[in-house]
Amino acid sequence: MIKRNKHQQQSADVTSGPQRELTGNLLFLLASFAALGALATNIILPAFPQIAIDLGASIKDLGATLSSFFIAFALGQLVVGPLSDRFGRKPLVLSGLAIFVLGSAVCAMANTLPQLITGRTIQALGVCATSVLSRAIARDLFDGDQLARTLALIMVAMAAAPGFSPLLGGAFNSLLGWRATFGLVAGVAVLLAGYYLIRLGETHAQDHRTAPSITAVLRGYKRLLLDRRFIAPALTVSLVVGTLYAFFSMAPAILMAGFGLSSLDLGLFFAATVFVVFGAGLSSPRLVRRWGQVAVARAGVVIALAGSIGLAVGPENFLCFCLFLTVFLLGMGIVNPLATAIALHPFAANAGAASALLGFLQMGCAAAAITVGTSLSLSAYASLGVISATALSAAFFAFLATK
């Protein structure tokens, strides 16, 4: 029997060189990593009325479970990215999933709103690792058009999760109660950890790792923030994602109180939006081959802006509301993967840090949009003006982006 030396054993699960073939197993894993955070975010939305009753809180107060999640999610990524560049992706993925399971258990056993907020914060600090590292792993393995295609498919999954999760959460709430939803997401995390160990493992080679100090990390983030190649597309996609999550936070009040939808109807509505995002994401690589990444991304953000303005005007009937939302989701589905690929492409050497900062900007914009939209003393429709303003800002940065 041939014995491997120590170096070979240490690098046995490290992919040697960029992997040019995107397999179904790899795509499923990276998409699941990206979608887990979104799944955990929106799965409790249909249960808000019951949670409010059980915990003695108002539905408006439950908005803190979303904003706290996004804030912790955003800040946690800034730590995870550089650590993964130093120690590899594997230990951060596994520890992140373990922390997420712990947070889910705290949520499931919560008897007060502060306890639920604490559990949600722990959840976010764990699941931020899989979200940021799904992009970093993709950058480890792919380059050029293949990277753009991979990120497009990953972003489709990430954008689809908020659509399907309320339907899943509504079903679990009706059958088993809202606490069971946290058991569900914890079980998904455990399964993903096992699948990751079996199918992929480490992708960041030992000789590519760096050991930066805190000062060096901060200096690296500063360079990224000042680099137009990164910051323009990063702010574009972050503001668009922030717009999407702001809409999801306002949707229960608009659709359930305004249009009279039930919790099941709300779940079905969100699920239907997935097909728009899915179609837009799948079409973007074809559009890129003809017109280029930057041009298509700019077109996507303009389409999203048009839809958001329609929503802010305040459609008088449900059909018009759905029409404007479809336009917005179509543009968002196009710009999301393309702006992500444009932002990450020039930074292969520090993909973890670049992905972390991008994730921080996305969740930061989401938290800000949700906080502003829910704190203003406006009607549900008037608060949609926040969405339009955010989308307008995204369009501004889209036209600053370069190839």
Side-chain angles (χ1 to χ4, degrees):
M1 178 180 293
I2 300 176
K3 295 183 178 181
R4 292 181 296 181
N5 61 37
K6 183 178 180 180
H7 175 74
Q8 288 173 318
Q9 289 174 338
Q10 289 176 337
S11 59
D13 56 355
V14 178
T15 302
S16 57
Q19 178 178 325
R20 298 299 178 183
E21 181 182 359
L22 178 60
T23 65
N25 288 330
L26 178 57
L27 176 60
F28 171 80
L29 183 62
L30 295 181
S32 298
F33 278 172
L36 183 59
L39 174 68
T41 303
N42 281 11
I43 198 169
I44 64 172
L45 289 180
F48 266 19
Q50 187 59 50
I51 295 174
I53 293 173
D54 291 349
L55 301 185
S58 68
I59 294 181
K60 184 177 181 180
D61 290 337
L62 289 177
T65 64
L66 294 176
S67 57
S68 61
F69 187 96
F70 285 127
I71 292 170
F73 199 109
L75 294 174
Q77 291 181 90
L78 294 178
V79 178
V80 169
L83 286 178
S84 74
D85 286 339
R86 169 64 181 89
F87 298 106
R89 318 301 185 202
K90 184 176 178 179
L92 274 299
V93 167
L94 296 178
S95 60
L97 290 172
I99 293 171
F100 176 75
V101 171
L102 174 62
S104 300
V106 173
C107 290
M109 296 184 290
N111 293 313
T112 64
L113 180 58
Q115 290 176 358
L116 183 60
I117 292 174
T118 299
R120 293 285 285 171
T121 301
I122 297 172
Q123 271 191 317
L125 291 174
V127 79
C128 70
T130 60
S131 179
V132 66
L133 294 181
S134 66
R135 296 186 294 267
I137 291 171
R139 189 62 190 88
D140 290 339
L141 301 177
F142 303 106
D143 197 0
D145 291 341
Q146 186 74 321
L147 173 63
R149 179 170 176 265
T150 304
L151 288 173
L153 295 173
I154 292 174
M155 292 300 105
V156 165
M158 190 173 182
F164 277 124
S165 55
L167 179 61
L168 190 59
F172 263 71
N173 181 54
S174 299
L175 296 174
L176 301 173
W178 60 270
R179 297 180 188 276
T181 60
F182 293 108
L184 171 65
V185 294
V188 171
V190 172
L191 292 175
L192 283 178
Y195 196 76
Y196 170 75
L197 288 172
I198 295 171
R199 292 291 185 180
L200 186 60
E202 186 59 73
T203 58
H204 192 44
Q206 187 74 40
D207 56 354
H208 290 168
R209 299 180 191 179
T210 58
S213 63
I214 295 178
T215 302
V217 169
L218 295 177
R219 192 180 301 117
Y221 281 142
K222 180 181 178 181
R223 282 196 296 268
L224 287 170
L225 289 171
L226 296 177
D227 194 322
R228 182 174 170 179
R229 297 174 300 167
F230 174 82
I231 196 61
L235 283 175
T236 299
V237 69
S238 298
L239 288 164
V240 169
V241 170
T243 303
L244 176 67
Y245 280 110
F247 166 76
F248 277 127
S249 71
M250 302 169 192
I254 296 171
L255 296 173
M256 299 177 79
F259 291 118
L261 270 63
S262 67
S263 60
L264 179 60
D265 293 334
L266 181 67
L268 291 172
F269 176 85
F270 280 141
T273 65
V274 169
F275 295 100
V276 180
V277 177
F278 187 76
L282 291 182
S283 67
S284 59
R286 297 181 180 180
L287 298 174
V288 166
R289 284 195 292 269
R290 183 168 183 177
W291 287 293
Q293 284 186 338
V294 174
V296 176
R298 288 172 176 169
V301 80
V302 170
I303 293 171
L305 175 61
S308 69
I309 291 174
L311 289 172
V313 168
E316 295 182 357
N317 57 66
F318 185 63
L319 181 61
C320 289
F321 182 88
C322 292
L323 176 62
F324 288 128
L325 179 61
T326 298
V327 173
F328 167 74
L329 292 174
L330 178 64
M332 189 277 298
I334 292 173
V335 71
N336 193 1
L338 297 182
T340 300
I342 293 169
L344 295 182
H345 181 264
F347 306 101
N350 54 341
S355 180
L357 186 56
L358 176 61
F360 169 80
L361 292 172
Q362 288 180 353
M363 293 300 102
C365 287
I370 290 172
T371 300
V372 173
T374 57
S375 63
L376 293 177
S377 299
L378 300 173
S379 67
Y381 285 116
S383 64
L384 286 173
V386 175
I387 291 178
S388 182
T390 308
L392 179 61
S393 301
F396 172 77
F397 287 106
F399 283 87
L400 292 179
T402 58
K403 293 183 180 179

